[in-house]
Amino acid sequence: MIKQPYLLFLGDAPDRLAAKVAQGICDWRPEAAIGQYRMAGCAADMRIPDMSIAEAREAGAETLVIGVANRGGVIADSWMAVLEEALAAGLDIASGLHNLLTDEPRLVRAARKFGRELHDVRTPVIDYPIANGRKRTGRRCLAVGTDVSVGKMYVSLAMQREMLRRGLKASFRATGQTGIFVAGEGVPLDAVVADFMAGAVEWLSPDNDDDHWDFIEGQGSLFHASYSGVTLALVHGGQPDAIILCHEPGRPHMRGLPDYQLPELERLCEVVLTMAHIVNPACRAVGVSVNTSRFSQEEARQCLQDAEARTGLPATDPIRFGAEALVDALLSESNGETLR
């Protein structure tokens, strides 16, 4: 069990997206975030108190959470002194990076010396099965994106929250480091051996009541040359009944891939449904989630109108305008009204 509250370590994150783990915790579990630690050159800001290690410990922090999700998921050498200081001050450390805390001798020695815990949430703890492709009871909704970091976790959590507000049955199924910190459990999917990824998603979303919806956190993008494999495993292992298309307008290229442009929403819809129909011929796209955080209110509404015009599906920014329209569309689809 990872102890709360957290001190969120932002390191030298170059932008907000690079600190998306911290952002997700602040947005969905704000009561767990007591403060942030930023190094020189950090351009991310969660708008919570800046604290030193000593100040955070005095304020009651129990765990330093590495809130950075950098390319490759590595623990930078420049962070080491701060992480060792945290352990010496009595803080545990939790991380979702590919570079495991327990593979760093300096941190292992310091944790042992000061009696602290190192938590690697990206370490699979289950022997996941190979996917069998059998149809499961219950309903499933999967968020897929034109790119990485476009709001797939956010729309899944927002839709689950709206379902619960209406007194309906719904669960959020976390598949990445931030989602696991938010939900308290899940599958670190991109750390699962490739042959077992789809099986891990089947395990994560088992048989359930016919009127229960699992909102499966999306990862990667089918159009991202680096991370398409994990997306396809979610599509086939999840056997979704419904797809939410996710997009952030205005990006000049795929994140981390300057030679690749984002696909059009129509193209994403076509490709993901082709893949989804292999395991569930009844799967439908039901709505579009648009991240409009960089736009004015008027510009945001224009983005939504454009998305609706292009796809014929209801579109919203679930954080800015709420997830009601997407849940309405999901329930209409499940009641037999074909949207696409």
Side-chain angles (χ1 to χ4, degrees), residues 163-183:
M163 290 279 283
L164 295 177
R165 189 189 69 80
R166 299 185 189 192
L168 303 173
K169 301 175 185 176
S171 299
F172 169 69
R173 304 299 187 182
T175 61
Q177 54 178 329
T178 309
I180 293 171
F181 279 124
V182 170

Side-chain angles (χ1 to χ4, degrees), residues 124 128-131 187-202 226 228-234 236-237:
Y128 300 115
I130 292 177
V187 170
L189 193 59
D190 59 6
V192 175
V193 173
D195 278 357
F196 299 91
M197 286 196 298
V201 181
E202 290 184 350
S226 304
S228 57
V230 70
T231 312
L232 188 57
L234 281 159
H236 286 170

Side-chain angles (χ1 to χ4, degrees), residues 211-253:
D211 59 347
H212 179 280
W213 279 94
D214 273 350
F215 291 92
I216 302 174
E217 178 188 7
Q219 299 292 334
S221 170
L222 288 173
F223 288 83
H224 199 291
S226 304
Y227 308 119
S228 57
V230 70
T231 312
L232 188 57
L234 281 159
V235 173
H236 286 170
Q239 291 187 346
D241 299 282
I243 294 290
I244 299 293
L245 308 176
C246 302
H247 180 57
E248 181 179 342
R251 291 193 177 188
H253 54 74

Side-chain angles (χ1 to χ4, degrees), residues 78-89:
S78 59
W79 300 353
M80 279 295 181
V82 178
L83 301 184
E84 289 178 309
E85 181 187 354
L87 293 167

